[in-house]
């Protein structure tokens, strides 16, 4: 959640800087880092305080300490023995640390980056996944010269390539340097800078005042002696679960990042509901195939269901339709910049199989598509639903109309 508060600050800065396009000038934008940090900490405090309140109202006792399993239905917390009828493991994940990097205060993981200690003049970010790109958005807005190094051929690997190109261009337009197909071969700490030597599409050195490692997270399953409880833990610290979130031990459930990818909060919450229901004797399961992904960058990139590449790789018959946001009245009238809504659909049944949206508020707009995929909705269902005008949500209906050949807005 913390990054969302900082991403909102980045958006305020962005809007203020671009006010001139609308004849509104606010002068040079100044950032009071202490005030921003205090605002962010206040929001985090409010949210975590809210969770404590929710637990209290439900008479949940919270015990603070480090837990380790000692048997199939027992564990200890800081040395004190506990027994349980059923347990849920929700120990999450930790940032992956790149091997061979120096132990240096200027090397941050995502947690350190969110502390907002300072705005480095030159910031290198290794990893162009969701965390790397969100951090790039925040720190570039705060005034850092940001360079992202991504190993794969595109940033946000796995997302629709055409949509990613739009995000890539927008980030570059904000002054962020993006090196894809590149890896950091070595890092040398000197007094003046961290010197990152890169290999691949970009060969050369990056000199940075701080570097963020955003190369994924590893599951924490190996840290709680779960095997003692008969729970399987993979080499990578992942605890495999079935659709009911049950582990290899029938009385122990696992939810969230510790159960592997996608490591997303909304998946964890749904798994939590499933585990609680199954533990209380109800039938429940989670279809993990349809978990939306959102990068809260500027613009946002959001997708769910099949991407065109996945449909092709899996040999699934499909067609694509898209609607460019240059033709969206709402986008134009709010200075939204470039954007795209794209649907992947079945050519025979017209059912929607996947959706990708890049543009302002894409994360919010995606919900309609997720519901459509979940409900087995067809292009006709979407196109014949009256969407309010002018809204960005119309782009979803326009995409469906374009697929059906009934679009009059393009
Ligand atoms: P990620 O796996 O999404 O991205 C890591 C990126 O680093 C990948 O693109 C990978 O190719 C690249 N990489 C790996 N090793 C590299 C190397 N040596 N050099 C250069 N690039 C390298 O991981 P993340 O961005 O760290 O995020 C971790 C998890 O947290 C993910 O599951 C993510 O979805 C989740 N998360 C989600 C949100 C959100 O939903 N908005 C926000 C934060 C985190």
């Amino acid at each position: 959640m913390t990054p969302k508060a900082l991403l909102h600050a980045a958006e305020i800065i962005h809007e203020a800087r671009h006010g001139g396009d609308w004849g509104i000038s606010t002068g040079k934008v100044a950032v009071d880092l202490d005030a921003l940090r205090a605002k962010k900490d206040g929001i985090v405090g409010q949210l975590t305080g809210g969770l404590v309140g929710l637990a209290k109202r439900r008479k949940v006792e919270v015990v603070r300490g480090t837990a380790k399993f000692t048997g199939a239905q027992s564990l200890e917390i800081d040395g004190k023995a506990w027994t349980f009828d059923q347990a849920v493991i929700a120990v999450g994940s930790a940032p992956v640390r790149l091997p061979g990097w120096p132990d240096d205060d200027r090397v941050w993981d995502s947690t350190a980056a969110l502390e907002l200690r300072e705005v480095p003049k030159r910031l290198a970010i290794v990893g162009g996944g969701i965390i790397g790109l969100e951090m790039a958005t925040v720190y570039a807005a705060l005034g850092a010269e940001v360079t992202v190094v991504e190993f794969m051929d595109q940033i946000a690997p796995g997302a629709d390539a055409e949509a990613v190109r739009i995000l890539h261009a927008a980030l570059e337009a904000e002054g962020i340097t993006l090196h894809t197909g590149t890896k950091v071969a070595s890092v040398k700490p000197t007094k003046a800078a961290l010197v990152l030597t890169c290999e691949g599409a970009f060969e050369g050195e990056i000199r940075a005042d701080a570097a963020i490692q955003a190369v994924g997270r590893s599951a924490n399953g190996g840290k709680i002696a779960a095997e003692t409880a008969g729970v399987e833990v993979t080499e990578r610290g992942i605890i495999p679960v079935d659709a009911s979130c049950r582990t290899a031990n029938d009385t122990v459930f696992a939810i969230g990042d510790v159960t592997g990818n996608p490591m997303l909060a909304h998946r964890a919450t749904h798994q939590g509901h499933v585990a609680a229901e199954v533990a209380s004797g109800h039938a429940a399961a989670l279809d993990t195939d349809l978990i939306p992904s959102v990068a809260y960058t500027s613009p946002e990139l959001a997708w769910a269901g099949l991407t065109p590449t996945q449909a092709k790789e899996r040999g699934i018959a499909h067609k694509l339709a898209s609607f460019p946001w240059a033709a969206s009245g709402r986008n134009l009238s709010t200075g939204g910049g470039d954007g795209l809504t794209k649907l992947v659909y079945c050519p025979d049944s017209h059912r929607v199989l996947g959706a990708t949206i890049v543009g302002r508020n894409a994360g919010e707009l995606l919900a309609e598509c997720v519901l459509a995929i979940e409900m087995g909705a067809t292009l006709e269902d979407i196109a014949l639903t009256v969407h309010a005008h002018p809204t960005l949500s119309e782009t979803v209906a326009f995409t469906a109309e374009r697929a059906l050949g009934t679009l009059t807005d393009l």
Side-chain angles (χ1 to χ4, degrees):
M1 184 53 68
T2 344
K4 309 307 169 261
L6 297 180
L7 285 156
H8 178 63
E11 198 167 318
I12 297 173
I13 296 167
H14 178 90
E15 292 284 313
R17 288 206 179 119
H18 290 78
D21 301 348
W22 301 79
I24 299 163
S25 46
T26 50
K28 194 173 173 329
V29 178
V31 178
D32 177 341
L33 209 58
D34 292 335
L36 176 56
R37 192 182 310 109
K39 178 76 181 168
K40 175 214 44 149
D41 291 344
I43 295 169
V44 173
Q46 215 175 327
L47 290 166
T48 46
L51 282 178
V52 171
L54 286 175
K56 218 182 223 168
R57 280 210 294 284
R58 287 168 175 76
K59 300 193 173 56
V60 174
E61 183 191 355
V62 179
V63 179
R64 291 188 187 279
T66 306
K68 280 201 188 323
F69 285 94
T70 52
Q73 287 185 305
S74 63
L75 47 78
E76 57 176 42
I77 303 174
D78 289 344
K80 189 169 176 282
W82 291 73
T83 57
F84 58 82
D85 294 327
Q86 300 185 96
V88 178
I89 300 172
V91 290
S93 60
V96 168
R97 292 194 64 115
L98 286 164
W101 276 57
D103 198 9
D104 191 300
D105 276 353
R106 294 168 294 181
V107 177
W108 302 345
D109 60 19
S110 53
T111 312
L114 290 173
E115 285 167 12
L116 214 61
R117 296 175 197 167
E118 57 171 311
V119 178
K121 186 170 177 308
R122 300 161 300 178
L123 175 67
I125 299 178
V126 186
I130 289 184
I131 292 186
L133 297 177
E134 291 184 352
M135 291 301 160
T137 301
V138 168
Y139 277 94
L142 293 175
E145 280 168 32
V146 178
T147 305
V148 178
V149 180
E150 166 57 48
F151 191 66
M152 305 294 278
D153 286 342
Q154 69 170 40
I155 55 169
D160 177 87
E162 187 184 10
V164 167
R165 277 196 293 278
I166 291 174
L167 174 62
H168 190 117
L171 295 176
E172 281 187 337
E174 288 303 309
I176 298 168
T177 304
L178 300 164
H179 294 306
T180 50
T182 301
K183 71 169 190 186
V184 176
S186 68
V187 183
K188 209 171 78 193
T190 70
K191 209 166 162 220
L194 288 166
V195 184
L196 283 64
T197 306
C198 297
E199 281 175 3
F202 169 73
E203 300 263 347
E205 283 182 356
I206 299 168
R207 306 179 85 76
D209 303 301
I212 299 175
Q213 295 186 346
V215 292
R217 299 180 66 89
S218 63
N220 283 335
K223 299 177 182 170
I224 48 170
E227 299 88 343
T228 322
V231 170
E232 185 196 342
V233 183
T234 71
E235 239 170 52
R236 313 188 67 186
I238 293 168
I239 296 182
V241 289
D242 64 15
S244 311
C245 297
R246 274 194 209 277
T247 66
N249 172 348
D250 251 15
T251 60
V252 179
F253 298 81
I255 61 166
D257 287 11
V258 76
T259 64
N261 284 323
M263 293 187 181
L264 298 168
H266 40 279
R267 170 173 168 262
T269 313
H270 274 263
Q271 286 181 315
H273 290 174
V274 167
E277 285 178 17
V278 175
S280 356
H282 301 284
L286 179 68
D287 169 5
T288 47
D289 268 359
L290 192 62
I291 308 287
S293 293
V294 181
Y296 298 90
T297 40
S298 180
E300 291 182 355
L301 171 66
W303 70 102
L306 288 179
T307 62
T309 311
Q310 285 170 334
K312 209 184 273 172
E313 279 169 1
R314 296 181 199 174
I316 297 171
H318 66 284
K319 275 188 159 181
L320 307 175
S322 59
F323 183 83
W325 284 26
S328 156
R330 182 58 185 264
N331 187 50
L332 282 180
S333 54
T334 50
D338 214 358
L340 186 79
T341 298
K342 182 185 273 188
L343 296 176
V344 180
Y345 63 96
C346 169
D348 299 323
S349 67
H350 285 184
R351 277 172 67 156
V352 182
L353 307 173
T356 299
I357 307 178
V358 60
R360 177 179 284 181
N361 287 339
E364 303 288 342
L365 298 177
L366 187 72
E368 176 180 359
C369 303
V370 179
L371 184 64
I373 302 168
E374 186 65 54
M375 301 288 291
T378 62
L379 295 169
E380 288 82 353
D381 289 323
I382 296 176
L384 297 175
T385 298
V386 179
H387 289 65
H389 175 79
T391 59
L392 294 172
S393 70
E394 281 175 304
T395 67
V396 177
F398 291 157
T399 308
E401 286 183 3
R402 194 168 186 199
L404 295 169
T406 56
L407 179 65
T408 52
D409 286 65
L410 200 65

